[in-house]
């Protein structure tokens, strides 16, 4: 769709781009974008349609790139639409296939990025609508010799994989039945098995041809198709190596069979048959098919975590509509529906309890084994288990918006993404096959000309062994299988990595910054002290009313504590939150200030009368807030936020991992240090404003530290985004969860150590796989070239190498809280 346009719209040498725009609110926006694009060097014309929300741009690609057009729109304050498609890829046989498809898609006009995962047989393609579409992407994949389809539902994908497994089993059975007699004839020639009876029929070349031909051209047909498609697309893959090696053995044997037959006819007797290699080609194909079957079975186990997550979902829900209760599929529930949840049933949707009371088991989400009591007004999460009471729940988030769907989506994206270390393997795989073919030819020539002069059969065996032993399957599986197994197991432990790159990056972290409120502490402070200079009732009434509109945890604690004494509080006529300082409000015509010393100094309030009392409270680890009424100091309120039960143990674990641990907070230093001491944290960054948290992260990064920021609030989002790894406590806000790279679903700081440890174990597993895969190929090729490997042994070794890599990755699924790999 973005091909050079030689119509009257674009002259020769010019390109036409269609930009889908976002952020326009009126015709003036369209005019601004049009002028901005039109003034760019290399742009012949730009036309922006406000109604269609798109821009048609004619440009010279030698002067300005398509990406620069996008950047210009963004600089003007608007956006361009980019969409992502998840494709299911069929026909890949090795990492070289994945690399070819990825390169082919990435070079398409309109494609921003493409990532192909060989282990999951998927492709994630980010593209610009209007320049390309699903049909063109599918056509491109088809030209490369593969098949792409829009990724199906998990159930559909599972069915497809089961059908493929069944086909592979049938191929193996057919291939094994026909190859076993050929293998028997080969084994009978070994000196230590010379006692085996050898039927003359099996030694007949025509009988061997009859057995080998179906294996070569029926069972082996996918290898020929794959090789043809790869070569047609200008590349080479595992299929090329298998097709070359087995075809050489088969057709050389066919040539010898015909020659023997002609000689036998001329001599009027059959005579002994020649040395043939039908068993080599047939057994090779059988071993490769067996290896692929084992590989598929093992790869299927890497998605066990995903399947268990999906299995948590309820399949149906009982909803009230028009006064009648109906059982409907979960997909038909809409926000606002009233859902009945009986004892022993799973909560079908995320929602709020309207009626009833019960205990709900939320262990799948929080890891907490004790059920949580739920009543009217409390929120519930889909897939949790209702234990004993009847609940009527108002659905708020359903389908793809639910918490469980979010977890599944994050895990899927992580498993389908590529870690940077995988790029190395991909680059090697991309050039490996041509090098192997060249090495096989050179090895065969050396044997034919020097090592065994004139012995074509020996040279052929050497070439076949080199071709087969060097298949880069294990190399292609080394990284993605570990990422799939590692991220899946992490999800089961309540840790969500948003992508393979974050799973890889986390293991390098050497510094952890912990936000205080809601992260180190429970985040639910209580009002503990009231120090009044004026009348206590007046202080409480004014302070409680002023804090009512605030959503800050400290404000909520103040209001809740005051309401125990006086349930009725007036409404403020004005309210202003002052982040990092406190609040300003007007209640019943009076000015109310509540906050820090700095706020009082800034507003000219003399609060020195409370200095000594404030210092005492802060030493006790309490947060003291000064109160001023009509510009005069009136007293102070103190709240205490206790640390979470597991915080001290978690900090100890982090230190044991060799990490530097700091706590950051907007609280005053005395309070912060008191809390830090309880948690075992030696370094404290106190009195830091929300915008200052990101700056503190940058300072540590400038010192060469790899920083993980852990938080749960909206004010933590910039720091989470700026850190090398942002970790959001799962009980926190949606904004923090979106900004983070890792989500700790259970709200427990032990999840930080688990996340870092899981990353280290996964990276160690990847290195083991890469070392094995590269070492296997590096050693296997010269061993085969030296004539020390029979072709069938090379085939067996190649098949086992892929299986061993996947099995090693599966060890990650057995990792428990204190295991090592």
């Amino acid at each position: 769709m973005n091909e050079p346009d030689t119509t009257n719209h674009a002259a020769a040498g010019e390109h036409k781009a269609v930009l889908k725009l976002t952020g326009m609110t009126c015709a003036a926006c369209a005019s601004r974008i049009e002028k901005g694009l039109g003034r760019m060097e290399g742009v012949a014309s730009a036309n922006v349609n406000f109604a269609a929300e798109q821009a048609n741009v004619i440009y010279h690609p030698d002067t300005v790139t398509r990406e620069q057009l996008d950047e210009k729109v963004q600089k003007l304050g608007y956006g361009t639409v980019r969409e992502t498609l998840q494709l299911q890829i069929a026909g890949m046989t090795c990492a070289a296939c994945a690399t070819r498809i990825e390169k082919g898609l990435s070079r398409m006009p309109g494609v921003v990025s493409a990532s192909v995962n060989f282990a999951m047989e998927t492709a994630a393609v980010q593209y610009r609508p209007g320049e390309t579409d699903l049909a063109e992407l599918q056509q491109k994949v088809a030209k490369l010799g593969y098949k792409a389809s829009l990724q199906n539902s998990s159930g559909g994908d599972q069915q497809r994989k089961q059908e493929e497994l069944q086909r592979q089993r049938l191929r193996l059975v057919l291939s094994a039945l026909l190859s076993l007699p050929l293998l028997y004839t080969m084994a009978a020639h070994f000196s230590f098995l010379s006692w085996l009876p050898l039927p003359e029929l099996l030694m007949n070349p025509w009988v061997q041809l009859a057995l080998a031909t179906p294996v070569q051209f029926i069972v082996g047909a996918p290898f020929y198709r794959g090789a043809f498609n790869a070569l047609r697309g200008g590349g080479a893959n595992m299929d090329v190596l298998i097709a070359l090696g087995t075809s050489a053995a088969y057709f050389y044997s066919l040539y010898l069979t015909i020659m023997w037959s002609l000689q036998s006819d001329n001599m009027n007797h059959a005579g002994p048959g020649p040395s043939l290699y039908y068993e080599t080609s047939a057994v090779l194909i059988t071993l490769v098919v067996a290896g692929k079957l084992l590989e598929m079975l093992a790869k299927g186990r890497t998605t066990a975590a995903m399947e268990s997550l999906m299995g948590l979902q309820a399949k149906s829900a009982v909803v009230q509509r028009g006064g009648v209760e109906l059982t409907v599929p979960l997909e038909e529930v809409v926000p606002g529906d009233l859902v009945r949840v009986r004892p022993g049933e799973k909560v079908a949707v995320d929602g709020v309890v309207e009626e009833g009371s019960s205990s709900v088991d939320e262990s799948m989400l929080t890891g907490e084994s004790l059920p949580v009591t739920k009543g009217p007004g409390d929120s519930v999460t889909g897939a949790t288990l209702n234990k004993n009471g009847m609940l009527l729940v108002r659905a708020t988030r359903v389908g793809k918006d639910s918490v469980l769907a979010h977890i599944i989506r994050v895990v899927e994206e992580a498993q389908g993404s590529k870690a940077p270390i995988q790029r190395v393997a991909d680059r090697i795989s991309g050039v490996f096959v041509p090098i192997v073919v060249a090495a096989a030819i050179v090895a065969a020539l050396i044997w034919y000309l020097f090592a065994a002069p004139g012995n074509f059969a020996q040279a052929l065996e050497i070439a076949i062994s080199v071709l087969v032993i060097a298949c880069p399957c294990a190399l292609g599986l080394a990284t993605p299988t570990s990422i799939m197994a590692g991220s899946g197991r992490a999800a089961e432990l309540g840790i969500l990595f948003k992508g393979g790159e974050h799973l890889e990056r986390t293991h390098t972290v050497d510094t952890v910054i912990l936000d205080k409120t809601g992260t180190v502490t429970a985040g639910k402070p209580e009002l503990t002290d009231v120090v009044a200079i004026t009348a206590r009732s007046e202080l409480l009434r004014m302070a409680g009313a002023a804090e009512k509109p605030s959503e800050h945890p400290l404000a909520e604690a103040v209001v809740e504590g005051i309401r125990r004494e006086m349930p009725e509080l007036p409404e403020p006529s004005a309210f202003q939150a002052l982040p990092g300082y406190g609040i300003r409000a007007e209640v019943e015509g009076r000015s109310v200030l509540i906050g820090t010393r700095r706020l009082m100094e800034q507003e000219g309030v003399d609060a020195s009368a409370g200095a000594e009392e404030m210092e005492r409270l802060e030493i006790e680890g309490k947060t003291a807030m000064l109160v001023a009424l009509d510009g005069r100091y009136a007293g102070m309120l103190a709240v205490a936020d206790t640390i979470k039960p597991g915080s001290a143990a978690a900090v100890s674990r982090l230190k044991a991992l060799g990490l530097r641990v700091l706590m950051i907070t907007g609280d005053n230093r005395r309070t912060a240090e008191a809390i830090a001491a309880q948690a075992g944290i030696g370094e404290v960054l106190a009195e830091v404003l929300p915008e200052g948290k990101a700056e503190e992260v940058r300072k540590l990064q400038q010192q060469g530290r790899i920083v993980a920021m852990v938080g749960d609030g909206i004010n933590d989002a910039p720091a989470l985004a700026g850190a090398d790894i942002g970790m959001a406590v799962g009980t926190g806000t949606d904004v923090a969860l979106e900004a983070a790279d890792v989500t700790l679903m259970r709200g427990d700081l032990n999840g930080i150590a688990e996340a870092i440890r899981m990353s280290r174990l996964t990276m160690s597993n990847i290195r083991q796989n890469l070392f094995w895969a590269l070492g296997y190929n590096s050693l296997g090729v010269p061993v085969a070239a030296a004539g020390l490997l029979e072709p069938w042994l090379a085939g067996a070794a190649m098949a086992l190498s892929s299986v061993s890599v996947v099995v090693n990755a599966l060890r990650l699924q057995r990792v428990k809280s204190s295991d090592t790999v």
Side-chain angles (χ1 to χ4, degrees):
M1 283 188 163
N2 192 26
E3 297 298 323
D5 189 345
T6 56
T7 67
N8 57 349
H9 297 288
E14 295 178 338
H15 282 203
K16 179 180 178 181
V18 179
L19 284 65
K20 295 287 184 180
L21 305 172
T22 61
M24 292 192 298
T25 56
C26 63
C29 299
S31 177
R32 184 162 177 253
I33 296 171
E34 189 170 287
K35 287 178 181 176
L37 290 171
R39 289 169 182 160
M40 291 182 71
E41 186 180 356
V43 172
S45 67
N47 182 277
V48 178
N49 187 316
F50 172 57
E53 296 184 319
Q54 74 177 35
N56 295 307
V57 184
I58 307 297
Y59 67 101
H60 297 275
D62 295 335
T63 308
V64 64
T65 66
R66 177 63 179 78
E67 285 67 31
Q68 287 173 325
L69 298 179
D70 282 351
E71 289 171 9
K72 182 63 176 180
V73 172
Q74 288 161 11
K75 285 178 182 177
L76 291 169
Y78 305 92
T80 55
V81 176
R82 292 181 178 184
E83 293 183 2
T84 301
L85 279 176
Q86 294 291 335
L87 301 176
Q88 198 72 45
I89 307 294
M92 292 193 295
T93 55
C94 67
C97 301
T99 302
R100 284 186 58 246
I101 297 170
E102 191 171 285
K103 286 180 179 177
L105 290 173
S106 298
R107 291 167 181 163
M108 286 181 68
V111 172
V112 179
S113 66
S115 176
V116 178
N117 188 310
F118 169 52
M120 290 191 72
E121 299 176 339
T122 59
V125 184
Q126 189 181 59
Y127 70 101
R128 291 182 285 258
E131 294 185 46
T132 192
D133 55 24
L134 174 61
E136 291 189 354
L137 295 172
Q138 289 175 313
Q139 287 170 14
K140 180 62 176 178
V141 173
K143 284 180 181 176
L144 293 170
Y146 308 90
K147 183 181 179 183
S149 57
L150 197 60
Q151 193 167 7
N152 207 337
S153 63
S154 299
D157 287 340
Q158 200 62 32
Q159 182 181 351
R160 179 189 60 80
K161 288 176 181 176
Q162 287 300 322
E163 290 172 354
E164 180 59 30
L165 266 175
Q166 189 60 31
R167 282 194 295 271
Q168 196 76 352
R169 286 192 183 100
L170 290 173
R171 289 176 66 203
L172 178 59
V173 170
L174 174 62
S175 189
L177 287 174
L178 294 171
S179 300
L180 280 173
L182 295 170
L183 182 62
Y184 181 83
T185 63
M186 179 176 68
H189 283 100
F190 295 147
S191 57
F192 65 93
L193 292 175
S194 58
W195 51 270
L196 286 173
L198 192 57
E200 189 175 332
L201 177 67
L202 289 181
M203 296 306 296
N204 187 296
W206 292 108
V207 172
Q208 292 190 18
L209 174 65
L211 290 170
T213 300
V215 177
Q216 189 72 34
F217 299 110
I218 297 177
V219 179
F223 299 125
Y224 282 106
R225 283 197 296 269
F228 173 74
N229 289 328
L231 294 171
R232 184 183 63 177
N237 60 3
M238 184 201 84
D239 294 323
V240 173
L241 299 182
I242 299 298
L244 277 175
T246 59
S247 295
Y250 176 85
F251 286 109
Y252 179 60
S253 298
L254 178 60
Y255 164 77
L256 292 178
T257 299
I258 294 170
M259 295 305 295
W260 169 81
S261 180
L262 291 174
Q263 289 172 7
S264 298
D265 288 344
N266 291 336
M267 297 172 65
N268 296 317
H269 64 83
S275 296
L276 303 174
Y277 297 90
Y278 288 122
E279 77 282 350
T280 299
S281 63
V283 171
L284 267 179
I285 289 174
T286 303
L287 287 171
V288 173
V289 171
K292 280 293 173 186
L293 178 60
L294 290 173
E295 183 186 304
M296 289 170 70
L297 290 169
K299 279 162 60 178
R301 288 177 56 198
T302 61
T303 59
M306 181 64 63
E307 290 167 16
S308 67
L309 284 172
M310 291 175 174
L312 294 173
Q313 239 168 357
K315 302 297 183 288
S316 61
V318 178
V319 299
Q320 290 186 356
R321 291 177 182 169
V324 179
E325 287 194 351
L326 303 169
T327 301
V328 300
L330 189 62
E331 297 78 26
E332 294 182 14
V333 180
V334 296
D337 272 344
L338 282 173
V339 180
R340 176 78 64 186
V341 187
R342 300 184 181 92
E345 290 183 343
K346 288 181 180 178
V347 178
V349 295
D350 297 359
V352 177
V353 177
E354 294 277 324
E355 295 177 15
S357 178
S358 182
S359 296
V360 177
D361 180 357
E362 296 185 329
S363 58
M364 57 74 62
L365 184 68
T366 65
E368 178 56 56
S369 57
L370 293 176
V372 181
T373 302
K374 299 288 184 179
D378 291 331
S379 61
V380 291
T381 306
T384 54
L385 183 64
N386 182 28
K387 300 291 285 187
N388 45 36
M390 185 83 76
L391 294 175
L392 190 64
V393 177
R394 177 79 65 183
T396 55
R397 292 189 291 192
V398 300
K400 63 181 178 62
D401 298 321
S402 69
V403 170
L404 183 61
H406 172 74
I407 294 172
I408 291 171
R409 189 161 56 248
V410 169
V411 177
E412 281 181 333
E413 288 172 0
Q415 292 190 335
S417 65
K418 285 192 176 184
I421 196 172
Q422 188 176 339
R423 304 288 177 186
V424 178
D426 287 348
R427 283 196 292 271
I428 295 171
S429 298
V431 298
F432 202 74
V433 174
I435 292 173
V436 168
V437 173
I441 294 170
V442 170
L445 287 173
I446 290 172
W447 274 85
Y448 185 74
L449 296 174
F450 305 108
N455 191 336
F456 181 78
Q458 181 67 24
L460 181 66
E461 277 197 11
I462 298 299
I464 293 169
S465 296
V466 172
L467 287 171
V468 174
I469 197 73
C471 286
C473 302
L475 189 61
L477 291 167
T479 300
T481 49
S482 295
I483 293 291
M484 289 163 68
S487 58
R489 181 59 187 141
E492 291 178 325
L493 296 173
I495 303 159
L496 301 183
F497 290 95
K498 284 193 175 178
E501 66 275 20
H502 306 308
L503 181 57
E504 177 178 339
R505 182 72 166 162
T506 300
H507 90 284
T508 63
V509 166
D510 57 25
T511 303
V512 177
I513 303 178
L514 305 173
D515 176 55
K516 180 179 81 71
T517 306
T519 303
V520 175
T521 65
K524 294 182 179 178
E526 293 183 358
L527 180 64
T528 57
D529 298 82
V530 178
V531 179
I533 302 299
T534 183
R536 176 186 168 89
S537 59
E538 181 185 23
L539 176 72
L540 292 178
R541 178 180 168 80
M542 292 294 106
E547 292 280 24
K548 275 175 70 177
S550 176
E551 295 180 357
H552 195 284
L554 298 183
E556 291 175 358
V558 167
V559 174
E560 188 177 332
I562 291 173
R563 274 185 164 153
R564 293 194 188 103
E565 290 190 33
M566 47 181 67
E568 300 297 326
L569 294 172
E571 293 292 330
S573 55
F575 172 83
Q576 182 184 5
L578 306 169
Y581 291 91
I583 63 144
R584 177 188 289 113
E586 191 170 316
V587 180
E588 297 180 338
R590 302 188 67 181
S591 169
V592 183
L593 280 175
I594 305 176
T596 63
R597 293 184 185 87
R598 284 187 296 176
L599 176 62
M600 298 300 154
E601 291 169 3
Q602 188 175 294
E603 297 294 325
V605 176
D606 180 9
S608 57
E612 188 176 329
E613 189 69 19
M614 190 174 194
E615 185 174 340
R616 179 186 68 80
L617 292 169
E618 288 175 348
I619 290 172
E620 293 175 4
K622 297 174 181 177
T623 299
M625 294 171 282
L626 301 169
V627 183
L629 300 177
D630 296 323
R632 301 183 62 181
Y633 173 64
M636 77 179 72
L637 306 171
V639 296
D641 183 13
T642 57
I643 69 168
K644 291 179 180 178
S647 290
V651 170
S652 177
R653 282 188 69 188
L654 292 173
K655 289 181 177 178
L657 289 171
L659 301 168
R660 178 182 175 187
V661 183
L662 304 90
M663 189 181 80
I664 193 167
T665 179
D667 270 356
N668 64 79
R669 180 159 293 279
R670 284 199 186 93
T671 302
E673 288 179 346
I675 294 292
Q678 294 177 47
I681 301 171
E683 295 183 72
V684 178
L685 303 172
E687 300 177 22
V688 180
L689 297 175
E691 59 271 21
K693 290 184 179 181
E695 182 57 35
E696 293 295 338
V697 169
R698 277 193 292 274
K699 286 179 183 176
L700 286 165
Q701 289 171 327
Q702 286 165 3
Q703 296 170 19
R705 313 294 297 194
I706 307 297
V707 181
M709 171 71 195
V710 187
D712 74 324
I714 292 174
N715 61 350
D716 297 323
L720 289 170
D724 296 285
I725 291 293
M727 294 188 182
V729 178
T731 50
T733 64
D734 288 344
V735 175
L737 296 179
E738 286 302 316
D741 306 311
V742 182
T743 301
L744 310 176
M745 292 302 296
R746 295 176 179 175
D748 181 356
L749 291 193
N750 278 295
I752 306 169
E754 286 298 322
I756 292 171
R757 188 171 153 277
M758 202 70 215
S759 173
R760 290 180 179 180
L761 291 173
T762 302
M763 291 309 300
S764 174
N765 194 268
I766 288 172
R767 291 190 189 102
Q768 290 165 10
N769 282 348
L770 288 174
F771 176 81
W772 165 247
L774 287 169
Y776 160 83
N777 285 126
S778 301
L779 291 173
V781 171
V783 168
L788 301 176
L789 270 182
E790 291 287 335
W792 69 274
L793 280 174
M798 185 272 288
L800 287 174
S801 69
S802 297
V803 175
S804 65
V805 161
V806 180
V807 169
N808 186 50
L810 286 173
R811 294 193 305 128
L812 291 168
Q813 292 191 331
R814 298 196 299 273
V815 171
K816 291 186 172 64
S817 188
S818 58
D819 285 349
T820 57
V821 170

